[in-house]
Amino acid sequence: MGVAVRVIPCLDVDAGRVVKGVNFQNLRDAGDPVELARRYDAEGADELTFLDITASSGDRSTTYDVVRRTAEQVFIPLTVGGGVRTVDDVDRLLRAGADKVSINTAAIARPEFLREAAHRFGSQCVVLSVDARRVTGGTVTASGYEVTTHGGRRGTGIDAVEWTRRGAELGVGEILLNSMDADGTKAGFDLEMLERVRAATTVPVIASGGAGAVEHFAPAVAAGADAVLAASVFHFGDMTVGDVKTALRAAGNPVR
């Protein structure tokens, strides 16, 4: 028996409500985060991820409040990301009840931030979130994938596979690998990207972006994912966490 594959619902939180759209646009309201978190906990989710998609607009108090209320009611690990720019932001989220903090744009601007956060709070608390897409237009990267910002709308020219390797070197405990091409499409995970990242780093990789059917999860694990993450398919009742675990188990993957 290997290590159990984790199934992680992701809640995109906007001004204290869970929302979901395709490629981060046309957002629909999907409910109260604490209520949804409680439901997923009861369904057997191994962890929860909160993504504060309004974080950049400045008002963080709502986020801390949601994290605090969730942590009081739900006892599985909680990862929170979105707008995390300083070591103090990490500190505040951990104090509010997050178990891990996911860092994205701020690390691109200043990679040392990852080392500082890992040094101060421990690698197990620091997740590098990578929004990657296949290279288009004039950009060339060795892997054919690049890191993006602004919900996948802006390319950085940084090789996504190389960036995950660098993140692990700087001390992150986990990589959240989100395919911006697949996000919200429900057409399946980007398996090639997962395979490349798995070959480049030894830290756990969470596959994100593209889940649309229970059959999509086992191939992601086969491609190298240690955990699988999905949002809209859970929120809108297409499937439950239990359904995903059943499919993973049937494919020979250990689950909790």
Side-chain angles (χ1 to χ4, degrees):
M1 271 293 259
V3 177
V5 176
R6 290 168 289 145
V7 178
I8 307 175
C10 177
L11 294 84
D12 294 331
V13 181
D14 182 357
R17 297 290 291 177
V18 176
V19 294
K20 191 60 201 167
V22 176
N23 301 112
F24 290 95
Q25 285 161 18
N26 310 320
L27 300 172
R28 289 162 66 188
D29 185 273
D32 172 56
V34 185
E35 228 166 88
L36 270 176
R38 209 189 285 123
R39 187 182 102 198
Y40 293 138
D41 189 13
E43 274 184 22
D46 298 298
E47 296 185 12
L48 288 171
T49 293
F50 274 8
L51 211 47
D52 181 0
I53 61 173
T54 38
S56 43
S57 57
D59 178 29
R60 299 309 302 272
S61 53
T62 314
T63 308
Y64 297 122
D65 179 55
V66 166
V67 170
R68 202 170 284 114
R69 287 190 301 126
T70 305
E72 278 164 12
Q73 310 237 358
V74 174
F75 302 101
I76 51 179
L78 180 60
T79 299
V80 184
V84 178
R85 294 195 165 71
T86 65
V87 170
D88 284 348
D89 290 341
V90 178
D91 190 42
R92 267 195 292 268
L93 284 168
L94 293 173
R95 284 174 194 276
D99 297 278
K100 308 180 207 177
V101 174
S102 150
I103 301 169
N104 187 333
T105 313
I108 296 167
R110 200 173 70 81
E112 270 309 299
F113 177 29
L114 296 173
R115 195 197 300 276
E116 290 159 13
H119 181 72
R120 180 155 161 202
F121 306 106
S123 291
Q124 76 285 351
C125 292
V126 183
V127 179
L128 173 60
S129 176
V130 181
D131 290 340
R133 68 177 179 201
R134 287 172 191 270
V135 168
T136 51
T139 317
V140 180
T141 66
S143 68
Y145 291 93
E146 76 169 319
V147 178
T148 67
T149 60
H150 300 79
R153 291 189 292 281
R154 195 172 296 178
T156 60
I158 297 168
D159 186 308
V161 175
E162 174 56 31
W163 179 230
T164 61
R165 194 188 60 73
R166 178 94 198 277
E169 262 174 20
L170 289 165
V172 306
E174 198 161 49
I175 307 283
L176 171 54
L177 184 64
N178 190 26
S179 165
M180 302 314 291
D181 300 312
D183 181 72
T185 62
K186 299 192 180 179
F189 294 94
D190 187 330
L191 302 178
E192 187 197 339
M193 183 165 74
L194 276 165
E195 282 167 359
R196 298 207 169 191
V197 167
R198 173 74 294 151
T201 174
T202 54
V203 300
V205 174
I206 304 165
S208 164
V214 289
E215 300 81 48
H216 289 154
F217 293 90
V221 175
D226 300 272
V228 286
L229 177 145
S232 53
V233 289
F234 292 142
H235 306 334
F236 298 121
D238 304 359
M239 64 184 78
T240 65
V241 170
D243 295 337
V244 173
K245 289 194 170 185
T246 300
L248 286 168
R249 204 177 280 117
N253 295 298
V255 290
R256 290 196 180 94

